Amino acid sequence: NAGVMQNPRHLVRRRGQEARLRCSPMKGHSHVYWYRQLPEEGLKFMVYLQKENIIDESGMPKERFSAEFPKEGPSILRIQQVVRGDSAAYFCASSQLADTQYFGPGTRLTVL
Amino acid sequence: AQSVTQPDIHITVSEGASLELRCNYSYGATPYLFWYVQSPGQGLQLLLKYFSGDTLVQGIKGFEAEFKRSQSSFNLRKPSVHWSDAAEYFCAVSGGGGADGLTFGKGTHLIIQP
């Protein structure tokens, strides 16, 4: 049973470009969470989604960031017009019953 | 708002010695509590969790944790550490029956001395 898959594992973007991070939850899991890990801030919750619905986006920056979890396919975290401060590790977690979250390996985003 | 405090940023223990990592939480209702471990450049692996019931919970890799409501604590313990236990350890809390996003502590970096 494959775990949570994230791709790419490493992503380099220049300032102003768009970054797309993908997350495939564990089989049978319909709840997806995104977190950001910054060196001095630790792990912060960004958004919680179920299929085709955003349940809680209280941790998402108001501008440039968006997330979706379509009926078919992976969950996508999109960052438009990236800035150097977006450089971080982004982790996806999935859950079957919305209790225990299992994490993917993360995507390391570097903005040049 | 819920919060988690891990008072120790770094802890150094000798291989074979016992370990206790501290975690204090703030949450108004019954919390869902978790410990995760992260090796460098890797994702987070779940060590153990507490939802209800027995306050002493067993996890993987020989770890255990004890929930103490009166102290708002959920400390992680291991009787004898191995060099492979060197990693970053995160305590986390969730409300909403576990459905909410996790609130993490800042982590404790564990160093194992030979």
Side-chain angles (χ1 to χ4, degrees), chain B residues 53-94:
Chain B
D54 192 346
T55 57
L56 184 63
V57 293
Q58 302 296 320
I60 63 171
K61 304 184 179 185
F63 286 93
E64 66 177 27
E66 186 171 12
F67 171 61
K68 293 186 177 180
R69 185 185 298 276
S70 61
Q71 299 177 22
S72 297
S73 69
F74 188 56
N75 294 349
L76 182 71
R77 300 194 293 250
K78 187 170 184 177
S80 176
V81 298
H82 186 262
W83 65 266
S84 60
D85 292 324
E88 193 83 16
Y89 290 79
F90 293 96
C91 181
V93 65
S94 175

Side-chain angles (χ1 to χ4, degrees), chain A residues 11-31:
Chain A
L11 181 62
V12 179
R13 287 286 178 266
R14 297 189 181 278
R15 281 177 295 171
Q17 292 184 320
E18 178 178 284
R20 282 194 172 204
L21 288 63
R22 294 174 181 76
C23 169
S24 297
M26 290 176 68
K27 186 176 181 181
H29 288 196
S30 60
H31 304 263

Side-chain angles (χ1 to χ4, degrees), chain A residues 33-98:
Chain A
Y33 305 78
W34 285 94
Y35 295 83
R36 178 166 65 176
Q37 186 175 35
L38 290 163
E40 299 304 319
E41 296 184 14
L43 278 152
K44 300 292 186 184
F45 165 74
M46 299 180 74
V47 63
Y48 164 32
L49 310 103
Q50 293 181 27
K51 286 286 188 181
E52 300 185 279
N53 287 300
I54 296 175
I55 306 303
D56 179 0
E57 56 181 350
S58 59
M60 284 278 271
K62 298 301 181 195
E63 298 179 351
R64 302 187 296 108
F65 284 72
S66 62
E68 63 178 11
F69 189 17
K71 186 176 181 181
E72 301 291 337
S75 175
I76 306 288
L77 179 67
R78 183 183 293 111
I79 311 172
Q80 296 177 304
Q81 299 175 335
V82 296
V83 300
R84 289 220 171 111
D86 297 331
S87 294
Y90 292 82
F91 291 96
C92 167
S94 74
S95 173
Q96 184 178 32
L97 299 174

Side-chain angles (χ1 to χ4, degrees), chain A residues 9 33 35 37 40-41 43 45 48 91 98-105 108, chain B residues 34 36 38 41-44 46 49 51 90 97-102 104 106:
Chain A
R9 295 290 306 276
Y33 305 78
Y35 295 83
Q37 186 175 35
E40 299 304 319
E41 296 184 14
L43 278 152
F45 165 74
Y48 164 32
F91 291 96
D99 52 9
T100 305
Q101 295 177 31
Y102 297 91
F103 282 77
R108 273 79 181 167
Chain B
F34 306 83
Y36 288 87
Q38 183 181 32
Q42 303 298 314
L44 281 76
L46 178 69
K49 61 187 178 183
F51 292 169
F90 293 96
D100 293 350
L102 296 170
F104 284 90
K106 291 194 179 294

